Amino acid sequence: METHPRNSSFSSCSAYLRALAHTPARVSRRALSVSTSYEEMSRVRAKSGSDMRKTLRWYDLVCFGIGGMVGAGVFVTTGHASRLNAGPAIVISYAIAGLCALLSAFCYTEFAVDMPVAGGAFSYLRVTFGEFAAFLTGSNLIMEYVMSNAAVARGFASYFGTAIGVPTAKWRLKVDGLPDGFNEIDVLAVAVVLVITFVICYSTRESSVVNMILTVLHILFIAFVILMGFWKGDPKNFTEPGDPKNPSGFFPYGAKGVFNGAAMVYLSYIGYDAVSTMAEEVKNPVKDIPIGVSGSVIIVTVLYCLMAASMSMLMPYDMIDAEAPFSGAFSGKSDGWKWVSNVIGVGASFGILTSLLVAMLGQARYMCVIGRSSVVPAWFARVHPKTSTPVNASAFLAFIQSSARKLSQVG
């Protein structure tokens, strides 16, 4: 492993070409080599130059976890799982999925407490299964974050445009000379990515404050949806379908449907893993990380179960709009409640912003630690001495996301 920038494979073009010539020997030497917790927290971390400032407490992590998990996905997956799989028992499906997410969160917590570094799953695999497994996981995580964040940014533009009544085509810039399907740039989506990048580069502490504000606003919207559902809903919808020909009861598709629904809605819990990448910036990892990671999963599970129950009360499961279950339930009413669907769109926009912010924080820290391992140029590992954040990794990934196909293709 290269331990000094002058000896790095990326120090010059000639050094890189020499390294390529020795690829088979280097792969055989490094593929199964494992690091140790002590090395990750000392020698490897020192490659970033400056340290990431320890400013986060348990409540910051709880809000990061909630913000990362509760995006727009719950407004879609709930409808699909309820109508096609679980019916009113979607409440049980969310509870089962939440339990599975909590057990997984315990694993992340144990690693993060034992080894509070910014690498998350990449670092955990590096000390257990070796560098090759860590490299495969890290590269897949980076690609997942970049492509999904680009899509999420475009999703924000669509939700926000729908909420305020402005077509997304209004803020798309057409570029002549590019093939059809790739010749429109979503200016709002690019702007959102760049603004969030500025925030996360400026300070992790300020990023947490912004996330807290957006998360509280989003939870208020969710509480509004829940209350409206219980107020306007009818308890008989828990057991009676809209069409008598369809299966009835709380478990219309039986236990199999409940577990199939749990598998589908588990996607709504993705995001808590990004919290583990901030372990290096936590003041008291032993206390704060378990409360932050596990607490966020528990809170989100309660919110999801209440949302599922309110949706099940609003409409019979076989009449739910699979694509937009909550907004569809209100837009279909004729007694003056259509405005609620617009409110739901605004709330979903806040959720998209928080999930995007947390994901962009996580991806930058993954890239930073991958740079520390010399798998990519050490430039990505640098931590800015003034902001104590991985500015290089954040800026590079923001550029890639802004250029990604998902930001430029026609909707």
Side-chain angles (χ1 to χ4, degrees):
M1 180 185 298
E2 295 79 1
T3 58
H4 195 281
R6 288 177 298 181
N7 299 325
S8 172
S9 303
F10 302 99
S11 60
S12 66
C13 183
S14 59
Y16 185 70
L17 292 175
R18 286 196 301 270
L20 282 178
H22 296 89
T23 296
R26 290 158 61 90
V27 169
S28 63
R29 185 177 74 250
R30 295 185 58 176
L32 299 179
S33 64
V34 296
S35 180
T36 65
S37 299
Y38 177 77
E39 286 181 335
E40 293 294 317
M41 292 188 292
S42 55
R43 181 178 59 83
V44 175
R45 185 161 64 180
K47 293 182 180 181
S48 289
S50 302
D51 290 332
M52 297 184 191
R53 192 176 298 123
K54 295 182 180 294
T55 60
L56 303 179
R57 299 301 305 271
W58 63 268
Y59 45 83
D60 296 293
L61 300 183
V62 168
C63 286
F64 275 132
I66 296 174
M69 283 182 277
V70 188
V74 64
F75 292 97
V76 178
T77 56
T78 306
H80 281 283
S82 179
R83 180 155 188 170
L84 303 177
N85 297 108
I90 184 65
V91 180
I92 309 299
S93 296
Y94 266 114
I96 294 172
L99 176 61
C100 295
L102 184 62
L103 296 176
S104 178
F106 288 158
C107 298
Y108 276 93
T109 297
E110 184 174 359
F111 275 112
V113 170
D114 180 67
M115 188 173 60
V117 294
F122 175 82
S123 296
Y124 308 153
L125 284 169
R126 198 159 178 257
V127 300
T128 52
F129 292 99
E131 293 206 27
F132 185 67
F135 168 74
L136 290 179
T137 301
S139 57
N140 277 285
L141 284 169
I142 293 296
M143 287 191 291
E144 173 197 341
Y145 273 114
V146 169
M147 300 308 296
S148 64
N149 287 347
V152 167
R154 288 187 71 247
F156 169 79
S158 299
Y159 267 97
F160 186 72
T162 301
I164 64 176
V166 177
T168 55
K170 291 285 186 180
W171 46 56
R172 283 184 176 173
L173 179 66
K174 189 172 183 178
V175 180
D176 296 329
L178 294 178
D180 290 339
F182 300 87
N183 60 344
E184 290 188 2
I185 298 176
D186 196 324
V187 177
L188 180 60
V190 174
V192 167
V193 169
L194 295 180
V195 169
I196 292 179
T197 300
F198 174 79
V199 173
I200 65 177
C201 287
Y202 181 72
S203 168
T204 303
R205 176 72 255 167
E206 274 63 39
S207 298
S208 177
V209 172
V210 171
N211 177 71
M212 282 184 182
I213 295 172
L214 293 175
T215 298
V216 169
L217 290 174
H218 189 207
I219 289 178
L220 289 176
F221 277 99
I222 289 177
F224 171 78
V225 171
I226 293 171
L227 291 175
M228 292 298 296
F230 280 106
W231 180 28
K232 299 293 294 181
D234 189 343
K236 73 177 184 180
N237 290 332
F238 277 123
T239 55
E240 298 180 10
D243 186 349
K245 296 179 181 178
N246 291 325
S248 61
F250 187 70
F251 299 93
Y253 299 109
K256 180 180 179 181
V258 172
F259 284 100
N260 286 338
M264 184 176 290
V265 301
Y266 185 82
L267 295 174
S268 300
Y269 287 92
I270 292 176
Y272 61 85
D273 57 305
V275 179
S276 65
T277 66
M278 287 170 258
E280 196 168 313
E281 299 159 271
V282 178
K283 286 187 175 181
N284 186 356
V286 175
K287 173 186 175 183
D288 294 337
I289 293 177
I291 296 176
V293 179
S294 303
S296 63
V297 174
I298 293 172
I299 292 173
V300 168
T301 300
V302 173
L303 289 175
Y304 282 170
C305 289
L306 291 174
M307 288 182 71
S310 69
M311 184 199 67
S312 297
M313 289 182 64
L314 278 171
M315 298 187 76
Y317 77 90
D318 57 344
M319 296 180 64
I320 291 173
D321 185 344
E323 299 297 330
F326 292 96
S327 58
F330 286 103
S331 61
K333 292 182 178 294
S334 58
D335 51 353
W337 292 96
K338 292 183 179 180
W339 59 272
V340 178
S341 62
N342 294 330
V343 174
I344 292 173
V346 175
S349 299
F350 283 119
I352 291 173
L353 286 178
T354 58
S355 62
L356 187 60
L357 187 149
V358 175
M360 291 179 68
L361 278 167
Q363 71 178 12
R365 278 141 188 81
Y366 272 122
M367 195 71 182
C368 174
V369 175
I370 292 173
R372 291 175 182 175
S373 69
S374 300
V375 174
V376 296
W379 181 83
F380 291 107
R382 306 304 297 176
V383 172
H384 197 280
K386 291 184 178 180
T387 64
S388 299
T389 58
V391 173
N392 294 351
S394 300
F396 173 77
L397 292 172
F399 172 76
I400 296 299
Q401 283 169 189
S402 298
S403 306
R405 176 176 180 267
K406 287 293 183 181
L407 292 183
S408 58
Q409 71 180 34
V410 174

